[in-house]
Amino acid sequence: MTTNVRAVFDRRKKATPTVAAKVEIEVFFSRTERKWISTDIELYSNQWEDGLVVRHALAKQLNRKIANLIADYRDLIRQMYQEGRDVDLYTFNRLIEVKAQKQTAGGFIDFAYSVLEKRKLRHSTIKAHHCTFEALRRSGIIRTFDDLTPRNLKRFDDWLRKEDPTREQPTIYGYHKRLKPYINEAVKLGIIDESPYLKFKVPKGKHKPKEALSEDELLRLRKLHLTDRSLERARDLFVFCAYTGLAHVDMCNFDFHKHTVCVHGRYYIDGERIKTGTRFYTPILPPAMEILEKYKYRIPPLSQQAYNRLLKCLASMIGTRKNLSSHIARYTFATTVLLANEVPIESVNKMLGHTRIQITQLYAKVLNTSIEKQAERLAEIL
């Protein structure tokens, strides 16, 4: 097949000495297959002769630009021949798209955002992906598609650990897991040849054992006299979740008037978890109700990042070395508030809104207090 590349001016015959028209690059494959690629060069009818720009202040520069464009497209076609591809309009268009995506100002990160917009994901999942993209942007390690190498993935992995030494391996694995679909999409579109994750493996790892607050620690937290409003708010949010089991994102979405029902004078949250879409049904125990009354039934907003930072201060104030976080409130509800008081695991599962009871069983470690209570009961019987 003979492919011709040339510059064409005023293809639609609209130019006059006072009306400008564009210069285009024509790529000819056959009578039925040709492509016109528009340039940003506009000329009047008397400024084009024999395929060259004339009578223009920038004629030399514009002719050089046109010659470079023609050379670029000829190189692209030569590449198609060398790689054994079909030299036709379809393949040419795909290569043009890939080239344009590689030259996008934002590079890989903007590409990932554009792909994310087309995916149907839950709001909480989208936020997690945004968090991953912004971490990548902050690191400055991977910007363009050419930066997607196993070496740079290792550098990004190291950067994640350095930025926040408290990040555990499963958390770091999550960052990589969220990046993979966008790298795979780039491979699918032919933007890169292969995923760098083929040569860089990330172990899942295991979270360090979580430690719920004991009943005594929870009571000390509730009784803290705080003069700092931010610390007071963080403490109150933790207590609310420790006596309802809400995850941070569900707490932020909680609306007392929409999400509660009253049965025999006691209020219950009848809702749906944002993370999984699973229904849950949990009582608002007295300490949590006190928090609602304090804030006139409107939970005050607090970002998870600020919340967790303030919780570290509160942990120090109550004299515990436990790694206090938003999730520990939910964990405390499951273990210290429910399981330690012998609430059946099936009920705990329903209150937490777990998709499988096996997840709840991870919370249900044998508690010393439960053994002591059972021992006292057995002693009375035997």
Side-chain angles (χ1 to χ4, degrees), residues 192-206:
I192 59 176
D193 294 331
E194 66 176 18
S195 170
Y197 280 110
L198 293 176
K199 296 178 181 177
F200 177 73
K201 303 298 181 182
V202 186
K204 284 187 177 181
K206 292 183 179 181

Side-chain angles (χ1 to χ4, degrees), residues 82-101:
Q82 290 173 348
E83 294 178 355
R85 298 174 183 258
D86 292 332
V87 183
D88 54 23
L89 182 58
Y90 173 78
T91 308
F92 183 79
N93 280 336
R94 287 294 303 275
L95 288 176
I96 290 293
E97 289 173 8
V98 168
K99 186 175 181 180
Q101 287 169 330

Side-chain angles (χ1 to χ4, degrees), residues 344-357:
I345 195 167
E346 293 79 8
S347 297
V348 177
N349 179 73
K350 179 67 175 176
M351 293 180 198
L352 294 174
H354 283 157
T355 53
R356 305 188 313 275
I357 200 165

Side-chain angles (χ1 to χ4, degrees), residues 9 27 86 94 114 133 175 295 329 376:
F9 170 66
V27 184
D86 292 332
R94 287 294 303 275
S114 68
F133 299 160
Y175 278 88
Y295 291 98
E376 289 177 9

Side-chain angles (χ1 to χ4, degrees), residues 226 228-240 256-257 287-302:
L226 300 166
D228 184 279
R229 291 185 64 184
S230 295
L231 282 171
E232 182 183 20
R233 181 180 297 179
R235 186 271 308 277
D236 292 343
L237 297 184
F238 186 94
V239 170
F240 177 76
F256 180 81
H257 302 290
M289 186 58 73
E290 290 175 12
I291 300 298
L292 283 174
E293 291 168 353
K294 177 178 178 178
Y295 291 98
K296 296 181 170 53
Y297 300 94
R298 291 182 179 273
I299 296 294
L302 190 62

Side-chain angles (χ1 to χ4, degrees), residues 61-267:
Q61 293 94 316
L62 294 178
N63 282 323
R64 187 183 301 117
K65 182 175 183 178
I66 291 169
N68 288 338
L69 287 171
I70 291 172
D72 285 346
Y73 292 125
R74 283 178 175 163
D75 285 344
L76 201 58
I77 291 167
R78 192 176 298 112
Q79 177 187 334
M80 292 162 66
Y81 277 114
Q82 290 173 348
E83 294 178 355
R85 298 174 183 258
D86 292 332
V87 183
D88 54 23
L89 182 58
Y90 173 78
T91 308
F92 183 79
N93 280 336
R94 287 294 303 275
L95 288 176
I96 290 293
E97 289 173 8
V98 168
K99 186 175 181 180
Q101 287 169 330
K102 281 192 172 184
Q103 293 174 344
T104 299
F108 173 70
I109 297 174
D110 280 2
F111 167 80
Y113 269 114
S114 68
V115 173
L116 176 60
E117 288 176 2
K118 300 172 186 175
R119 301 182 71 190
K120 294 181 179 180
L121 302 174
R122 292 186 178 277
H123 177 68
S124 58
T125 305
I126 291 173
K127 284 182 67 176
H129 285 232
H130 282 184
C131 178
T132 298
F133 299 160
E134 291 312 305
L136 198 63
R137 197 187 299 278
R138 289 196 306 277
S139 75
I141 294 168
I142 295 174
R143 296 177 180 175
T144 70
F145 290 96
D146 291 337
D147 292 332
L148 291 170
T149 64
R151 179 176 177 273
N152 282 338
L153 287 181
K154 176 63 168 64
R155 289 177 61 207
F156 177 58
D157 188 274
D158 292 339
W159 179 88
L160 287 170
R161 300 171 195 279
K162 186 176 180 181
E163 186 195 43
D164 184 356
T166 66
R167 283 184 178 128
E168 298 179 25
Q169 184 58 37
T171 302
I172 291 172
Y173 174 81
Y175 278 88
H176 290 285
K177 181 181 177 181
R178 289 187 287 272
L179 274 183
K180 283 182 181 180
Y182 305 97
I183 292 178
N184 291 339
E185 184 67 16
V187 173
K188 182 180 176 182
L189 292 173
I191 300 174
I192 59 176
D193 294 331
E194 66 176 18
S195 170
Y197 280 110
L198 293 176
K199 296 178 181 177
F200 177 73
K201 303 298 181 182
V202 186
K204 284 187 177 181
K206 292 183 179 181
H207 282 290
K208 294 177 183 176
K210 297 181 180 66
E211 289 188 273
L213 290 189
S214 66
E215 190 174 342
D216 180 60
E217 288 169 328
L218 193 52
L219 185 60
R220 291 206 304 272
L221 182 65
R222 290 171 58 191
K223 289 186 174 182
L224 269 181
H225 177 68
L226 300 166
T227 56
D228 184 279
R229 291 185 64 184
S230 295
L231 282 171
E232 182 183 20
R233 181 180 297 179
R235 186 271 308 277
D236 292 343
L237 297 184
F238 186 94
V239 170
F240 177 76
C241 291
Y243 287 97
T244 60
L246 293 190
H248 179 265
V249 66
D250 296 316
M251 175 192 68
C252 293
N253 191 55
F254 174 70
D255 185 317
F256 180 81
H257 302 290
K258 289 182 181 178
H259 300 143
T260 63
V261 294
C262 186
V263 181
H264 304 307
R266 185 177 299 283
Y267 284 96

